[in-house]
Amino acid sequence: MSAASPFLGPLFFFGFILLLVFLLLNMFVSIIDSGFGEVNGDESKMDADHEIVDFMWFKLKQALGIGMSRVDQDDDNKAPEDPPLPDGEVEEKLNLLQQRVDKMAEKLSNMDNGEEQ
């Protein structure tokens, strides 16, 4: 096309590609929208990913000691709370965690430098 018209050939090609991308994106969004409408209408088709993420976030906060209680949850969904640890055991676990993090950082550094273990 550029041999026939050096200006209009690439212009029409770019316009054609832009039109196709717009058309395909529109089809993609309509498929997502119809699927969302179908799942939103039927609760049995909904997955529990949000509950899994909520549980993992709760366990992370519990491990860090940020959010130890969950008032807003029902008793049957509530994760069992671990008994409090003695002060010495907490420090021991924190030291072990620090050692593991240091070891992982060292391995990552070795991988980054291309060294073998």
Side-chain angles (χ1 to χ4, degrees):
M1 288 177 77
S2 61
S5 177
F7 178 72
L8 287 178
L11 182 69
F12 279 121
F13 179 74
F14 178 73
F16 177 73
I17 295 297
L18 191 67
L19 181 69
L20 284 181
V21 167
F22 181 73
L23 180 70
L24 290 175
L25 280 176
N26 195 4
M27 287 172 42
F28 175 71
V29 168
S30 67
I31 290 170
I32 297 294
D33 184 49
S34 66
F36 180 76
E38 185 178 325
V39 169
N40 202 13
D42 188 7
E43 289 186 22
S44 66
K45 294 182 180 179
M46 291 184 187
D47 58 3
D49 286 345
H50 63 283
E51 293 174 3
I52 293 170
V53 172
D54 186 42
F55 177 75
M56 289 171 46
W57 185 250
F58 167 70
K59 289 305 261 183
L60 176 68
K61 287 183 359 182
Q62 186 181 27
L64 296 175
I66 297 172
M68 294 304 287
S69 65
R70 293 182 75 169
V71 179
D72 60 339
Q73 272 200 334
D74 300 329
D75 289 337
D76 55 336
N77 289 336
K78 191 171 188 176
E81 293 187 12
D82 296 330
L85 299 173
D87 289 336
E89 194 171 339
V90 171
E91 289 181 12
E92 180 182 319
K93 288 187 181 266
L94 286 175
N95 288 335
L96 180 63
L97 176 65
Q98 181 65 39
Q99 291 172 0
R100 288 181 179 173
V101 168
D102 289 342
K103 190 174 182 179
M104 182 180 65
E106 182 181 331
K107 286 183 179 183
L108 288 173
S109 176
N110 289 343
M111 287 175 56
D112 189 37
N113 293 336
E115 298 174 11
E116 291 292 325
Q117 298 178 17

